[in-house]
Amino acid sequence: MDSLGQYDENDNIPNRVVKYLLMVKISPSLRGFDYLQTAIELCLKDGAIINHVTSELYPEVAKEFNVTGSIVERCMRTAIDNAYKNGGLLGINNFYNKVVYKNDYKLTNAELISLIVENVRLDVLK
């Protein structure tokens, strides 16, 4: 399935996205939080955009916030780095209710976005 397609407004996708970002301890005080949230929501609408992170996703997010794609990428990376250093990415284990991640590997921007996109899709399709 390329995208989430039509979903019910009652699914409250933005709240689900925020819930997952908070589960992995991405700090809402960082600009990267908003950029990640927007990127995830864009990927839910158009699943193919995750395959073109640098050429399409970052510029699309940047346009919404009136910044450059490189700023978007750097702020996302900083937010993920902070979560990694604080052990926040261990929250990924809460997605699956078992240990699948041991904080021995820092996820890339695209990996974290993809992971959250798939979990939101699974939530909505339940």
Side-chain angles (χ1 to χ4, degrees):
M1 177 187 266
D2 250 354
S3 67
L4 194 57
Q6 299 297 321
Y7 53 85
D8 191 326
E9 287 182 17
N10 294 328
D11 289 328
N12 209 340
I13 300 301
N15 283 352
R16 290 176 188 270
V17 171
V18 167
K19 176 184 88 170
Y20 281 114
L21 288 171
L22 293 174
M23 282 176 77
V24 294
K25 297 192 175 133
I26 302 292
S27 175
S29 65
L30 298 173
R31 286 190 296 167
F33 183 94
D34 294 326
Y35 298 161
L36 283 164
Q37 181 182 1
T38 301
I40 292 163
E41 290 173 10
L42 287 169
C43 289
L44 285 164
K45 291 176 185 166
D46 175 10
I49 199 168
I50 193 66
N51 298 320
H52 309 282
V53 175
T54 305
S55 62
E56 292 180 27
L57 183 60
Y58 294 155
E60 191 67 30
V61 173
K63 189 178 355 173
E64 189 163 325
F65 289 93
N66 198 30
V67 295
T68 65
S70 61
I71 289 173
V72 168
E73 185 277 331
R74 185 180 68 240
C75 289
M76 286 180 179
R77 185 168 19 93
T78 298
I80 294 168
D81 284 348
N82 286 341
Y84 172 73
K85 289 175 187 169
N86 296 322
L89 295 181
L90 290 169
I92 291 169
N93 296 324
N94 295 332
F95 297 177
Y96 305 103
N97 293 320
K98 63 176 154 179
V99 176
V100 294
Y101 180 79
K102 296 181 181 178
N103 213 44
D104 53 351
Y105 170 77
K106 185 178 61 113
L107 299 172
T108 66
N109 296 356
E111 288 170 334
L112 182 65
I113 291 167
S114 295
L115 185 69
I116 294 175
V117 165
E118 291 309 315
N119 277 282
V120 170
R121 281 188 182 138
L122 290 172
D123 278 355
V124 172
L125 295 174
K126 283 183 184 177

